[in-house]
Amino acid sequence: MSEHKEQFQKIGIGVLIGIFVFAISLFLFNPTQASLLGLIAFLVALWTNEGLPLAVVSLLPIVLFPAFSILDTKATAVNYSHPIIFLFLGGFLLAIAVEKSNLHTWIADKMLGLFPNTPRGMIFSLAITSGLLSSILSNTTTTLLLMSIALFITDDIKLKLRFALAIAYGASVGGIMTPIGTPPNLILLGIMSDKGMETIPFFQWVWMVAPLAFLMFIVVSMILSLGVPNTPIHRNGEKVPLNTTQKKVLYITGGLVFLLLLNAPMKPFWGGLGLSEAGILLSAGLLLFMPPFNVLEWMDDKAKIPYRIMFLFGAGFSIAKAFSATGLASEVASYLIVMTELHPIVLLFAVATLITFTTEITSNTALISIMLPVIYSVAQQTGINTTLFMMVATLCASYAFMLPIATPPNAIAMSSGVVDVKSMIRYGIVLNLVGIFLIVMIAEFFWKGILT
């Protein structure tokens, strides 16, 4: 009975937070937009205090958005079949096969042979490996490929949490290193081209952003390493050769990585194969059920698929759609115009902060698509370097570390079962603030001289 009382209290707290945000928002937005903000606050509160199961909260938009005339049921529900959800499904099927075949122990042993076999050494190596892969592959794909390996390096649940976050945060940090690393980067280049601006060449982008990524790798790894023991992680058991099942999974994984690398465009040298990453990853996952592989069996392995995280993705995409459909994103962006009297560096901090924390509750792709044209107008009015201003906004859209709905890597870390929302918020808010500071400082004192 006490458990039910505690649950009612948590739900009640979420309702009160939602009503409070709704009431405050009425001073700035119309009733529909204020209702959306109130509902988002309610959902975030329940995700945070775990008043209801994660999957239940994630399905609530299908009920609440139509009830409050924000989106109809069809427009809301369609977001739960977004292509990235099937990319996630394919990657997780592969992760299940890695675990089932015990291949992860062999891969973990190889990793421990390359890097210092201490918790701190593994945190640094996982973050950097994830970041480097993420610069040429999607953040989601990279996180899926590495997550199943990291969770079996140790049995310590606290270290598992830090390893999972190292991969997720490393993927977000490294995704900005190339123009193709994450969708907001490509959106920036596309809008610059549409506006007749000179786009940033591939290798100039890498040279500009590498110092930022390097510093963030160090910060992420150091923060996640705080308080961990410096005792060696010992290999368990004797080395044994790969068995037939492990070889099958390894062949599929190797083939998948090779195909993804071929599919990734490296302009101007290589345009990529043009295949859908979601289709590639789902195909790899489905192959595991087919001859000659036959590694997975649906009846035995379906229970391991984290449907709750798939619903979480759907909720995030629904919120992004609602932001656009209600005009809330454009309305928020319009308030930036009144800030054009500020000193340019103060304005940069304001935009960086707004983008970073707004990205926590909506898709970075959707947000940056809406915000960049407005930021272009703001930059034109302030006299600040337009490319510099837009670059800061774009990179901040990828540096959201607090909530599982903020980025696919965050959601995948949650799906591992070793990361809770409170821990993600605790580490994430520090990294958000550090990211904002470093991006603005590097923009002001490094990029400014290049982008004149």
Side-chain angles (χ1 to χ4, degrees):
M1 206 62 172
S2 61
E3 291 181 4
H4 290 165
K5 183 179 179 180
E6 184 181 356
Q7 188 177 29
F8 275 123
Q9 289 175 342
K10 290 180 177 179
I11 295 172
I13 290 171
V15 171
L16 290 176
I17 290 173
I19 292 173
F20 176 75
V21 172
F22 168 75
I24 296 297
S25 300
L26 282 174
F27 291 101
L28 297 173
F29 307 105
N30 65 43
T32 302
Q33 294 167 342
S35 296
L36 174 58
L37 286 173
L39 289 176
I40 291 173
F42 171 66
L43 294 173
V44 171
L46 291 186
W47 274 319
T48 304
N49 68 16
E50 299 177 349
L52 289 170
L54 183 72
V56 174
V57 180
S58 300
L59 287 170
L60 285 177
I62 299 177
V63 178
L64 296 177
F65 284 5
F68 285 83
S69 302
I70 292 169
L71 291 174
D72 62 37
T73 303
K74 182 178 180 180
T76 306
V78 72
N79 297 289
Y80 290 77
S81 60
H82 193 283
I84 201 169
I85 293 175
F86 295 100
L87 186 150
F88 174 80
L89 175 60
F92 215 89
L93 289 173
L94 187 63
I96 292 170
V98 169
E99 178 183 354
K100 184 176 181 179
S101 66
N102 211 34
L103 179 63
H104 54 274
T105 58
W106 180 84
I107 297 175
D109 184 72
K110 295 295 182 183
M111 287 181 63
L112 284 170
L114 294 174
F115 298 99
N117 62 334
T118 62
R120 186 167 297 166
M122 290 312 300
I123 288 171
F124 271 83
S125 65
L126 289 170
I128 293 170
T129 301
S130 178
L132 293 177
L133 283 175
S134 185
S135 68
I136 53 174
L137 304 178
S138 78
N139 297 352
T140 308
T141 302
T142 297
T143 309
L144 285 168
L145 289 173
L146 293 177
M147 190 62 67
S148 60
I149 299 168
L151 297 181
F152 298 97
I153 294 174
T154 178
D155 293 326
D156 187 327
I157 191 66
K158 293 182 180 179
L159 288 181
K160 285 177 183 282
L161 181 148
R162 297 182 191 229
F163 290 171
L165 289 179
I167 290 172
Y169 292 162
S172 294
V173 169
I176 66 162
M177 289 177 62
T178 66
I180 62 170
T182 189
N185 297 358
L186 294 171
I187 292 170
L188 168 64
L189 296 181
I191 291 177
M192 289 176 69
S193 179
D194 291 342
K195 299 292 185 182
M197 301 168 62
E198 184 179 351
T199 57
I200 303 170
F202 187 97
F203 289 107
Q204 181 179 321
W205 180 295
V206 174
W207 178 56
M208 288 171 54
V209 176
L212 169 64
F214 175 75
L215 290 173
M216 281 300 294
F217 281 137
I218 293 175
V219 171
V220 166
S221 301
M222 288 182 65
I223 288 175
L224 291 176
S225 297
L226 291 175
V228 301
N230 203 31
T231 54
I233 299 175
H234 297 287
R235 300 173 176 84
N236 295 320
E238 298 179 359
K239 295 181 180 180
V240 294
L242 292 173
N243 60 38
T244 302
T245 303
Q246 290 172 329
K247 287 179 180 178
K248 289 178 180 179
V249 177
L250 191 61
Y251 292 153
I252 289 182
T253 304
L256 172 63
V257 171
F258 180 70
L259 186 56
L260 288 170
L261 289 172
L262 283 180
N263 193 58
M266 295 290 290
K267 295 180 180 179
F269 308 105
W270 170 246
L273 298 177
L275 301 176
S276 162
E277 276 200 350
I280 293 173
L281 219 63
L282 184 59
S283 297
L286 296 178
L287 277 176
L288 294 163
F289 294 93
M290 303 177 187
F293 300 104
N294 297 112
V295 176
L296 297 181
E297 297 179 13
W298 183 259
M299 295 305 296
D300 294 335
D301 298 303
K302 67 177 180 180
K304 298 179 182 178
I305 297 173
Y307 294 104
R308 64 188 190 125
I309 303 301
M310 295 166 69
F311 295 152
L312 179 64
F313 278 131
F317 294 133
S318 296
I319 291 171
K321 179 68 174 179
F323 256 71
S324 178
T326 61
L328 180 58
S330 298
E331 191 71 19
V332 171
S334 69
Y335 283 105
L336 290 174
I337 300 297
V338 304
M339 299 165 62
T340 55
E341 300 294 327
L342 297 174
H343 187 280
I345 194 168
V346 177
L347 187 55
L348 276 176
F349 268 113
V351 171
T353 303
L354 174 64
I355 296 292
T356 298
F357 286 97
T358 304
T359 303
E360 294 288 352
I361 56 172
T362 187
S363 159
N364 60 0
T365 303
L367 177 68
I368 211 67
S369 298
I370 296 166
M371 293 291 282
L372 280 183
V374 177
I375 289 172
Y376 173 83
S377 298
V378 174
Q380 293 291 301
Q381 293 186 40
T382 61
I384 194 174
N385 186 301
T386 307
T387 304
L388 181 78
F389 208 15
M390 295 172 72
M391 186 89 170
V392 167
T394 300
L395 299 190
C396 284
S398 294
Y399 274 25
F401 303 102
M402 282 177 55
L403 294 175
I405 61 170
T407 64
N410 288 7
I412 294 166
M414 275 292 297
S415 75
S416 67
V418 300
V419 177
D420 58 273
V421 177
K422 290 180 181 178
S423 296
M424 186 173 286
I425 291 175
R426 187 171 69 250
Y427 288 113
I429 191 168
V430 175
L431 293 174
N432 277 11
L433 295 174
V434 171
I436 290 168
F437 177 79
L438 288 178
I439 289 172
V440 174
M441 288 294 100
I442 288 176
E444 179 68 18
F445 297 105
F446 179 38
W447 299 344
K448 199 170 187 179
I450 300 171
L451 299 175
T452 52

